[in-house]
Structures are given as C-alpha cells and as structure tokens.
Amino acid sequence: MYCARHKYRQEDHGIATASRYRSASALAALLAACQIGAATARDDGAAVQQRPDISVFAYGARWTDTRFVEILQFQTAMQDSHLAAVGISRRLHRFSDHLHLGGEINVARHWGQQDHFELNAAANLRWTRFPWDHLVDTSAAWGIGPSRAFGDPVIEDRRPSRTQAFMMAEVTFAPSASRESSWDAFLRIHHRSGVFGVVSDASGSNFIGTGVRFHFGPR
C-alpha cells in the first residue's frame, strides 16, 4: 500500500504542484480582496495598534503524505516523521494597516523517516483584519523562498534534492484585537517542492504543525 501511494504521487506530481500553487494564488487574491474591502469599510475613528516589528517563533510539525490542496480540504495521512523548528521574522513593509510584507528565517530539525537539519527563508504577505478580531485576534500569512536540507530528504521520494523551494501557510491566534499581547499561537503548513522543475525535479513534502510566537522591538 505504501509503494502504491508513492507511485500515485509520482504520476500526479505535475497536477499536485499546479494545485498547490493555484491555491497560493487564490490566497493572494483573497488577501487583495480583503484589502479593497477594508479600504471601503466605515471608518470608526479608532487607531489601529500594531504588534512589534520583530518576532521569534518555534513550532513542531508532523509529515502528512497528502498534497497541499488536500490539506486545505482537511484531508491528511499522517506519517511517522517529524520536525521541530525555530526562527526569527520581521515586518519589512506596511502596504496598509492590515496588509504587511514580512520576511523570516528558520532552522528545522527532522527525525523519524528522515534525519537531518534544514535551513529555510521566506518572504511573506500577512493579512491582519478579520470580523471576529474583537474575540480572537487573527492573522493569515503565505510565504515562499529557498530551502536547503543538510542531508537527504528521503520522504521526497522522486529523486530527492537537498535544494528545494520552501512555502509556508499560517494562521495565528491571540487573545483579543487589542494587540497588546506579545504572544500568539499559530497553525502552519511547512512545505517543500521543486516548483515545476524550476528548482529541482524532486517531489515535495508537507508538514502540519502548531507553534508559538513572541513579538518584540519597534512598532
């Protein structure tokens, strides 16, 4: 059964990769639409409080042998391979009060079906305004950048490559919309792939995880 699943993944690699990046494009379009909606919304006169520009974070994640688009449909096939990651991020530019450009660097340690360290960097877009923010302060982010594994990523089974593209999708949660708290929790998809063969001919991997972030520095 395991070999059959991997054969299926190899045959559908092109479709799977296209689906993942169509999903990413849809998310970017959604963020743009949300910004337009915010620009036309009623001004309540309240100043938007921003979290500090710099943050450090840590998360743990587990490999799911499913495609990115399947994860968005709440379909998973969790396997016995894990990672733990730590990183630092910084807000680089504010397009508006609620749409920001950021960057991050993280280091991950893998164990289970593969055993190595991994270094990732990404530029990301983050949207920070949702209707329920007065109850649970929420943000959503998507980012992409380079990834380097310091060992063979054997779960990326079709000609594994140490150099791949890194992609993250994340939703964060904090106690309220006051933005006074320095802490938030998040759910994250940690993804690597070859991007249609642009970076490599290897297949990809997806890890689903949870983590915490601490904000500090200038606002």
Coordinates of all heavy atoms in Angstrom, one line a residue, residues 19-21 23-24 27 57 59-76 78 83 85 104 106 108 110 118 120 122 124 126 140-145 165-173 186-193 204-211 213:
S19 N -1.8 22.4 -8.5 CA -2.9 22.6 -7.5 C -2.4 23.4 -6.3 O -3.1 24.3 -5.8 CB -3.5 21.3 -7.0 OG -4.1 20.6 -8.1
R20 N -1.2 23.1 -5.8 CA -0.7 23.8 -4.7 C -0.5 25.3 -5.0 O -0.9 26.2 -4.2 CB 0.7 23.2 -4.3 CG 0.6 21.9 -3.6 CD 1.9 21.5 -2.9 NE 3.0 21.3 -3.9 CZ 3.3 20.1 -4.3 NH1 2.6 19.1 -4.0 NH2 4.3 19.9 -5.2
Y21 N 0.0 25.6 -6.2 CA 0.3 27.0 -6.5 C -0.9 27.7 -7.0 O -1.0 29.0 -6.9 CB 1.5 27.1 -7.5 CG 2.8 26.7 -6.7 CD1 3.2 25.4 -6.7 CD2 3.4 27.6 -5.9 CE1 4.3 25.0 -6.0 CE2 4.5 27.3 -5.2 CZ 5.0 26.0 -5.2 OH 6.1 25.6 -4.5
S23 N -3.7 27.2 -5.4 CA -4.2 27.6 -4.1 C -3.5 28.8 -3.5 O -4.1 29.7 -2.9 CB -4.0 26.4 -3.1 OG -4.7 25.2 -3.6
A24 N -2.1 28.9 -3.7 CA -1.4 30.0 -3.2 C -1.9 31.3 -3.9 O -2.0 32.4 -3.3 CB 0.1 29.8 -3.5
L27 N -5.1 32.4 -2.5 CA -4.9 33.1 -1.2 C -4.5 34.5 -1.4 O -5.0 35.4 -0.7 CB -3.9 32.3 -0.4 CG -3.6 32.9 1.0 CD1 -4.8 33.0 1.9 CD2 -2.5 32.1 1.7
F57 N 10.0 32.6 16.9 CA 8.9 31.6 16.9 C 9.5 30.2 17.0 O 10.7 30.0 16.7 CB 8.0 31.8 15.7 CG 8.7 31.7 14.4 CD1 8.8 30.5 13.8 CD2 9.2 32.8 13.8 CE1 9.4 30.4 12.5 CE2 9.8 32.7 12.5 CZ 9.9 31.5 11.9
Y59 N 8.0 26.0 16.4 CA 6.9 25.1 16.1 C 7.3 23.6 15.9 O 8.5 23.4 15.6 CB 6.1 25.5 14.9 CG 6.8 25.6 13.6 CD1 6.7 24.5 12.7 CD2 7.5 26.7 13.2 CE1 7.3 24.6 11.4 CE2 8.1 26.8 12.0 CZ 8.0 25.8 11.1 OH 8.6 25.8 9.9
G60 N 6.4 22.7 16.1 CA 6.6 21.3 15.9 C 5.6 20.9 14.8 O 4.5 21.4 14.8
A61 N 6.0 19.9 14.0 CA 5.1 19.5 12.9 C 5.3 18.0 12.5 O 6.4 17.5 12.8 CB 5.3 20.4 11.6
R62 N 4.3 17.5 11.9 CA 4.3 16.0 11.5 C 4.0 15.9 10.0 O 3.2 16.7 9.5 CB 3.3 15.3 12.3 CG 3.4 13.8 12.1 CD 2.4 13.0 13.1 NE 2.4 11.6 12.9 CZ 1.7 10.8 13.6 NH1 0.9 11.2 14.5 NH2 1.8 9.5 13.3
W63 N 4.7 15.0 9.4 CA 4.5 14.8 7.9 C 3.2 14.2 7.6 O 2.8 13.2 8.2 CB 5.6 13.9 7.4 CG 5.5 13.5 6.0 CD1 5.2 14.3 4.9 CD2 5.8 12.2 5.4 NE1 5.2 13.6 3.7 CE2 5.6 12.3 4.0 CE3 6.2 11.0 5.9 CZ2 5.7 11.2 3.1 CZ3 6.4 9.9 5.1 CH2 6.1 10.0 3.7
T64 N 2.5 14.8 6.6 CA 1.3 14.2 6.0 C 1.6 13.8 4.6 O 2.0 14.7 3.8 CB 0.1 15.1 6.2 OG1 -1.0 14.5 5.5 CG2 0.3 16.5 5.6
D65 N 1.3 12.6 4.2 CA 1.5 12.1 2.9 C 0.4 12.5 2.0 O -0.3 11.6 1.3 CB 1.8 10.6 2.9 CG 2.4 10.1 1.6 OD1 2.8 10.9 0.8 OD2 2.4 8.9 1.4
T66 N 0.0 13.8 1.9 CA -1.0 14.3 1.1 C -0.6 15.6 0.4 O 0.4 16.2 0.9 CB -2.3 14.6 1.9 OG1 -2.0 15.3 3.1 CG2 -3.0 13.3 2.3
R67 N -1.3 16.0 -0.6 CA -0.9 17.2 -1.4 C -1.4 18.4 -0.6 O -2.3 18.3 0.2 CB -1.5 17.2 -2.8 CG -1.0 16.0 -3.6 CD -1.4 16.1 -5.1 NE -2.9 16.0 -5.2 CZ -3.5 14.9 -5.6 NH1 -2.8 13.8 -5.8 NH2 -4.8 14.9 -5.8
F68 N -0.8 19.6 -0.9 CA -1.2 20.8 -0.3 C -2.6 21.1 -0.4 O -3.3 21.5 0.6 CB -0.3 22.0 -0.9 CG -0.5 23.3 -0.2 CD1 0.3 23.6 0.9 CD2 -1.4 24.2 -0.6 CE1 0.2 24.8 1.6 CE2 -1.5 25.4 0.0 CZ -0.8 25.7 1.2
V69 N -3.2 21.0 -1.6 CA -4.6 21.3 -1.8 C -5.5 20.3 -1.0 O -6.6 20.7 -0.5 CB -5.0 21.2 -3.3 CG1 -4.9 19.8 -3.8 CG2 -6.3 21.9 -3.5
E70 N -5.1 19.1 -0.8 CA -5.8 18.1 0.0 C -5.8 18.6 1.5 O -6.9 18.4 2.2 CB -5.2 16.7 -0.1 CG -5.4 16.1 -1.5 CD -4.7 14.8 -1.7 OE1 -3.6 14.6 -1.1 OE2 -5.3 14.0 -2.4
I71 N -4.7 19.1 2.0 CA -4.7 19.6 3.4 C -5.7 20.7 3.6 O -6.4 20.8 4.6 CB -3.3 20.1 3.7 CG1 -2.3 19.0 3.6 CG2 -3.3 20.7 5.1 CD1 -0.9 19.4 3.8
L72 N -5.8 21.6 2.6 CA -6.8 22.7 2.7 C -8.2 22.2 2.7 O -9.2 22.8 3.1 CB -6.6 23.7 1.5 CG -5.3 24.4 1.4 CD1 -5.2 25.3 0.2 CD2 -5.0 25.1 2.7
Q73 N -8.4 20.9 2.2 CA -9.7 20.3 2.2 C -9.9 19.4 3.4 O -10.8 18.5 3.5 CB -9.9 19.5 0.9 CG -9.9 20.3 -0.3 CD -9.8 19.5 -1.6 OE1 -9.6 18.3 -1.6 NE2 -10.0 20.1 -2.7
F74 N -8.9 19.5 4.4 CA -8.9 18.8 5.7 C -8.7 17.3 5.4 O -9.3 16.4 6.2 CB -10.2 19.0 6.5 CG -10.4 20.5 6.8 CD1 -11.3 21.3 6.0 CD2 -9.7 21.1 7.8 CE1 -11.5 22.6 6.3 CE2 -9.9 22.4 8.1 CZ -10.7 23.2 7.3
Q75 N -8.0 16.9 4.4 CA -7.6 15.5 4.2 C -6.1 15.3 4.5 O -5.2 16.0 4.0 CB -7.8 15.1 2.7 CG -9.2 15.3 2.2 CD -9.3 15.0 0.7 OE1 -8.6 14.2 0.2 NE2 -10.3 15.7 0.1
T76 N -5.8 14.4 5.4 CA -4.5 14.2 5.9 C -4.2 12.7 5.9 O -5.1 11.9 6.0 CB -4.2 14.8 7.3 OG1 -5.1 14.2 8.2 CG2 -4.4 16.3 7.2
M78 N -1.3 11.2 8.2 CA -0.2 11.5 9.0 C 0.8 10.3 9.0 O 0.3 9.1 9.2 CB -0.6 11.9 10.4 CG -1.6 13.0 10.4 SD -1.2 14.5 9.6 CE 0.2 15.1 10.6
L83 N 9.3 17.2 12.6 CA 10.3 18.3 12.6 C 10.0 19.2 13.8 O 8.8 19.3 14.2 CB 10.4 19.0 11.3 CG 9.2 19.9 10.8 CD1 9.2 21.3 11.5 CD2 9.3 20.1 9.3
A85 N 11.2 23.3 14.6 CA 11.8 24.5 14.0 C 11.8 25.7 14.9 O 10.9 25.9 15.7 CB 11.1 24.8 12.7
E104 N 11.2 35.9 6.9 CA 11.6 35.0 8.0 C 12.7 34.1 7.6 O 13.0 33.8 6.5 CB 10.4 34.2 8.5 CG 10.0 33.0 7.6 CD 9.1 32.0 8.3 OE1 8.0 32.4 8.6 OE2 9.5 30.9 8.4
N106 N 14.2 30.3 9.3 CA 14.0 29.3 10.3 C 14.9 28.1 10.1 O 15.4 27.9 8.9 CB 12.6 28.8 10.4 CG 12.1 28.0 9.2 OD1 12.5 26.9 9.0 ND2 11.1 28.6 8.4
A108 N 15.1 24.0 10.9 CA 14.3 22.8 11.3 C 15.2 21.6 11.5 O 16.2 21.4 10.8 CB 13.2 22.5 10.3
H110 N 14.8 17.5 11.6 CA 13.9 16.4 11.2 C 14.4 15.1 12.0 O 15.5 14.9 12.2 CB 14.0 16.1 9.7 CG 13.4 17.1 8.9 ND1 12.1 17.0 8.4 CD2 13.8 18.3 8.4 CE1 11.8 18.0 7.7 NE2 12.8 18.8 7.6
E118 N 17.6 21.5 8.4 CA 17.1 22.2 7.2 C 17.1 23.7 7.5 O 16.7 24.1 8.6 CB 15.7 21.6 6.9 CG 14.9 22.3 5.7 CD 13.5 21.7 5.7 OE1 13.4 20.5 5.6 OE2 12.6 22.5 5.7
N120 N 15.6 27.4 6.1 CA 14.6 28.0 5.2 C 14.6 29.5 5.3 O 14.8 30.0 6.4 CB 13.2 27.4 5.5 CG 13.2 25.9 5.5 OD1 13.4 25.3 4.4 ND2 13.0 25.2 6.6
A122 N 12.0 32.9 3.8 CA 10.8 33.2 3.0 C 10.4 34.7 3.1 O 10.6 35.3 4.2 CB 9.6 32.3 3.5
N124 N 6.9 36.9 3.0 CA 5.5 36.5 3.1 C 4.6 37.8 3.1 O 5.0 38.9 3.5 CB 5.3 35.7 4.4 CG 5.7 36.4 5.7 OD1 5.1 37.4 6.1 ND2 6.8 36.0 6.3
R126 N 1.1 39.1 4.9 CA 0.2 38.8 6.1 C -1.0 39.8 6.2 O -0.8 41.0 6.1 CB 1.0 38.9 7.4 CG 0.2 38.5 8.7 CD 1.1 38.5 9.9 NE 2.2 37.5 9.8 CZ 2.0 36.2 10.1 NH1 0.9 35.7 10.5 NH2 3.1 35.4 9.9
A140 N -3.5 35.9 8.9 CA -3.2 34.8 7.9 C -2.0 35.2 7.1 O -1.9 36.4 6.7 CB -4.4 34.5 7.1
A141 N -1.1 34.3 6.8 CA 0.1 34.6 6.0 C 0.4 33.5 5.1 O 0.1 32.3 5.3 CB 1.3 34.8 7.0
W142 N 1.0 33.9 4.0 CA 1.5 32.9 3.0 C 2.9 33.4 2.5 O 3.1 34.6 2.3 CB 0.6 32.8 1.8 CG 1.2 31.9 0.7 CD1 1.1 30.6 0.6 CD2 1.9 32.4 -0.5 NE1 1.7 30.1 -0.5 CE2 2.3 31.2 -1.2 CE3 2.4 33.6 -0.9 CZ2 3.0 31.3 -2.4 CZ3 3.1 33.7 -2.1 CH2 3.4 32.5 -2.8
G143 N 3.9 32.5 2.4 CA 5.2 33.0 2.0 C 5.9 31.9 1.3 O 5.6 30.7 1.3
I144 N 7.0 32.3 0.5 CA 7.8 31.4 -0.3 C 9.2 31.9 -0.3 O 9.5 33.1 -0.2 CB 7.2 31.3 -1.7 CG1 7.8 30.1 -2.5 CG2 7.3 32.6 -2.4 CD1 7.1 29.8 -3.8
G145 N 10.1 30.9 -0.4 CA 11.6 31.2 -0.5 C 12.4 30.0 -0.7 O 11.9 28.9 -1.0
A165 N 12.3 24.6 -3.0 CA 11.6 25.8 -2.6 C 10.8 25.5 -1.3 O 10.3 24.5 -1.1 CB 10.6 26.2 -3.7
F166 N 10.8 26.5 -0.4 CA 10.1 26.4 0.8 C 8.8 27.3 0.7 O 8.9 28.4 0.2 CB 11.0 27.0 2.0 CG 10.3 27.2 3.3 CD1 9.8 26.1 4.0 CD2 10.1 28.5 3.8 CE1 9.1 26.3 5.2 CE2 9.4 28.7 5.0 CZ 8.9 27.6 5.7
M167 N 7.7 26.8 1.2 CA 6.5 27.5 1.3 C 5.8 27.3 2.6 O 5.9 26.2 3.2 CB 5.5 27.1 0.1 CG 4.3 28.0 0.0 SD 3.3 27.6 -1.4 CE 2.5 26.0 -0.9
M168 N 5.3 28.4 3.2 CA 4.6 28.3 4.4 C 3.2 29.0 4.3 O 3.0 29.9 3.5 CB 5.3 29.0 5.6 CG 5.8 30.4 5.3 SD 4.5 31.7 5.5 CE 4.2 31.7 7.2
A169 N 2.2 28.4 4.9 CA 0.9 29.0 5.1 C 0.5 28.9 6.5 O 0.7 27.9 7.2 CB -0.1 28.2 4.2
E170 N 0.0 30.0 7.1 CA -0.1 30.1 8.6 C -1.3 30.9 9.0 O -1.7 31.9 8.3 CB 1.2 30.8 9.1 CG 1.2 31.0 10.6 CD 2.5 31.8 11.0 OE1 3.6 31.1 11.0 OE2 2.4 33.0 11.2
V171 N -1.9 30.5 10.0 CA -3.0 31.3 10.7 C -2.6 31.4 12.1 O -2.3 30.4 12.8 CB -4.4 30.6 10.6 CG1 -5.4 31.4 11.2 CG2 -4.7 30.3 9.1
T172 N -2.6 32.7 12.6 CA -2.3 32.9 14.0 C -3.5 33.4 14.8 O -4.5 33.9 14.3 CB -1.2 34.1 14.1 OG1 -1.8 35.3 13.8 CG2 -0.1 33.8 13.2
F173 N -3.4 33.1 16.2 CA -4.5 33.5 17.1 C -3.9 34.1 18.4 O -2.9 33.6 18.9 CB -5.2 32.2 17.5 CG -5.7 31.4 16.3 CD1 -5.0 30.3 15.8 CD2 -6.9 31.7 15.7 CE1 -5.4 29.6 14.8 CE2 -7.3 31.0 14.6 CZ -6.6 29.9 14.1
F186 N -0.1 29.6 16.6 CA -0.3 29.5 15.2 C -0.4 28.1 14.7 O 0.1 27.2 15.4 CB 0.7 30.3 14.3 CG 2.1 29.8 14.5 CD1 2.6 28.8 13.7 CD2 3.0 30.5 15.3 CE1 3.9 28.4 13.8 CE2 4.3 30.1 15.5 CZ 4.8 29.1 14.7
L187 N -1.2 27.9 13.6 CA -1.2 26.6 12.9 C -0.4 26.9 11.6 O -0.6 28.0 10.9 CB -2.6 26.2 12.5 CG -3.5 26.0 13.7 CD1 -5.0 25.7 13.2 CD2 -3.1 24.8 14.6
R188 N 0.4 25.9 11.1 CA 1.3 26.2 10.0 C 1.4 24.9 9.1 O 1.5 23.8 9.6 CB 2.7 26.7 10.4 CG 3.7 26.7 9.3 CD 5.0 27.3 9.8 NE 5.0 28.7 9.9 CZ 6.1 29.5 9.6 NH1 7.2 29.0 9.2 NH2 6.0 30.8 9.7
I189 N 1.4 25.1 7.8 CA 1.8 24.1 6.8 C 3.2 24.5 6.4 O 3.5 25.6 5.9 CB 0.9 24.1 5.6 CG1 -0.6 23.8 6.0 CG2 1.4 23.0 4.6 CD1 -1.6 23.9 4.9
H190 N 4.1 23.5 6.6 CA 5.6 23.6 6.2 C 5.8 22.8 5.0 O 5.7 21.5 5.0 CB 6.4 23.1 7.4 CG 7.9 23.1 7.2 ND1 8.7 23.9 7.9 CD2 8.7 22.4 6.3 CE1 10.0 23.7 7.5 NE2 10.0 22.8 6.6
H191 N 6.1 23.4 3.8 CA 6.0 22.7 2.5 C 7.4 22.9 1.8 O 8.0 24.0 1.9 CB 4.9 23.3 1.7 CG 5.0 22.9 0.2 ND1 4.5 21.8 -0.2 CD2 5.5 23.6 -0.8 CE1 4.7 21.7 -1.5 NE2 5.3 22.8 -1.9
R192 N 7.8 21.9 1.1 CA 9.0 21.9 0.2 C 8.6 21.3 -1.1 O 7.9 20.2 -1.1 CB 10.2 21.2 0.8 CG 11.0 22.0 1.8 CD 12.1 21.2 2.5 NE 12.8 20.2 1.6 CZ 14.0 20.3 1.1 NH1 14.7 21.5 1.3 NH2 14.5 19.4 0.3
S193 N 9.1 21.8 -2.2 CA 8.9 21.2 -3.5 C 9.8 21.8 -4.5 O 10.5 22.8 -4.2 CB 7.4 21.4 -4.0 OG 7.2 22.7 -4.3
G204 N 7.6 16.7 -3.5 CA 7.6 17.6 -2.3 C 7.2 16.9 -1.1 O 7.1 15.7 -1.0
S205 N 7.1 17.7 0.0 CA 6.6 17.2 1.3 C 5.8 18.3 2.0 O 6.1 19.5 1.8 CB 7.8 16.7 2.2 OG 8.7 17.8 2.4
N206 N 4.9 17.8 2.8 CA 4.1 18.7 3.6 C 4.1 18.3 5.1 O 3.8 17.1 5.4 CB 2.6 18.8 3.1 CG 2.5 19.4 1.7 OD1 2.8 20.6 1.6 ND2 2.0 18.7 0.8
F207 N 4.3 19.2 6.0 CA 4.2 19.0 7.4 C 3.2 19.9 8.0 O 3.1 21.1 7.6 CB 5.6 19.3 8.1 CG 6.6 18.2 7.8 CD1 7.3 18.2 6.6 CD2 6.9 17.3 8.8 CE1 8.2 17.2 6.3 CE2 7.9 16.3 8.5 CZ 8.6 16.3 7.3
I208 N 2.4 19.4 8.9 CA 1.3 20.2 9.6 C 1.8 20.4 11.0 O 2.1 19.4 11.7 CB 0.0 19.6 9.5 CG1 -0.5 19.4 8.0 CG2 -1.1 20.4 10.2 CD1 -1.8 18.6 7.9
G209 N 1.8 21.7 11.5 CA 2.3 21.9 12.9 C 1.6 23.0 13.6 O 0.8 23.7 13.0
T210 N 2.0 23.1 14.9 CA 1.5 24.2 15.7 C 2.7 24.8 16.4 O 3.7 24.2 16.6 CB 0.5 23.7 16.8 OG1 1.2 22.7 17.6 CG2 -0.7 23.1 16.2
G211 N 2.6 26.1 16.8 CA 3.7 26.8 17.4 C 3.3 28.0 18.1 O 2.1 28.4 18.2
R213 N 4.7 32.3 19.0 CA 5.5 33.4 18.5 C 5.5 34.5 19.6 O 4.5 34.8 20.2 CB 4.9 34.0 17.2 CG 5.7 35.2 16.7 CD 5.2 35.7 15.4 NE 5.6 34.9 14.3 CZ 4.9 34.0 13.7 NH1 3.6 33.8 14.0 NH2 5.4 33.3 12.7

